[in-house]
Amino acid sequence: MFQYVRSVIFIIQMYISMPVVGLLFAPWAMFSRKGAYAACKTYSRYVFWTASWMVGLRCEVRGTVPQGEALIAAKHQSFLDIMMIFTALPAAKFIMKKEILMTPVIGQYARRLGCVAVDRGKRGAAIEKMVADVNAGRAEPGQLIIYSQGTRVPPGKKMPYKVGTAVLYEQLNQPCVPVATNVGVLWPKRGMLRKPGVAVVEFMPQIAPGMERNAFMKELETSVEDRSDALMVEAGFERDETS
């Protein structure tokens, strides 16, 4: 019960602080993308700091973080992995569902960062628009983050990897860096409880451009799923072998 109360207090202050940080950085962010990056990374680091002493949740980034242009294909389990991956990368932007652009504070900053919004309900058109928007944004180099399963996937659940990642991999002709995580064990997709422990995102060895589509998708899924499973066990997750 005590951990639950701590979690609720942590969540309340976390969401109160979001518009505060957004407003403080707004004058800088309006005129400079560096200001938008600074705001988002400042907020994320504040969340990491408060999580460490309020609920006993520590954040750790492992592996070699890419510094140049790359496609980042990540496992997505909760809001925490978004902040951890974004903060670790020097110039990140996300492929995201278009509804997020309507979200107060987050939507405005997502636009400023150059994130690519797609309509998930129109698969073919979404992929076309995604590729076109990415190509149009080549003047702003950086790391493009896509969640290959298209949504948050709770620990122990399986969902297919979507072809949009392979399309981008082919079109961009950049290395793809898989990212594994265990954050959903400690910071779940739903619910208020935040568990103590070490939340990890791990940047895996990159996949060089030029692989055949099916081979690429198989290597990506195997790399991310196997390592995420190991990280989740490390965080105390017990898989239900009957599921």
Side-chain angles (χ1 to χ4, degrees), residues 190-212:
R190 294 187 177 90
M192 303 290 281
L193 181 64
R194 302 293 180 261
K195 300 176 183 178
V198 181
V200 177
V201 295
E202 182 167 342
F203 290 82
M204 310 294 290
Q206 71 178 32
I207 301 172
M211 284 188 70
E212 185 271 331

Side-chain angles (χ1 to χ4, degrees), residues 126-137:
I127 292 173
E128 273 185 38
K129 182 179 186 303
M130 185 166 58
V131 172
D133 285 354
V134 169
N135 287 335

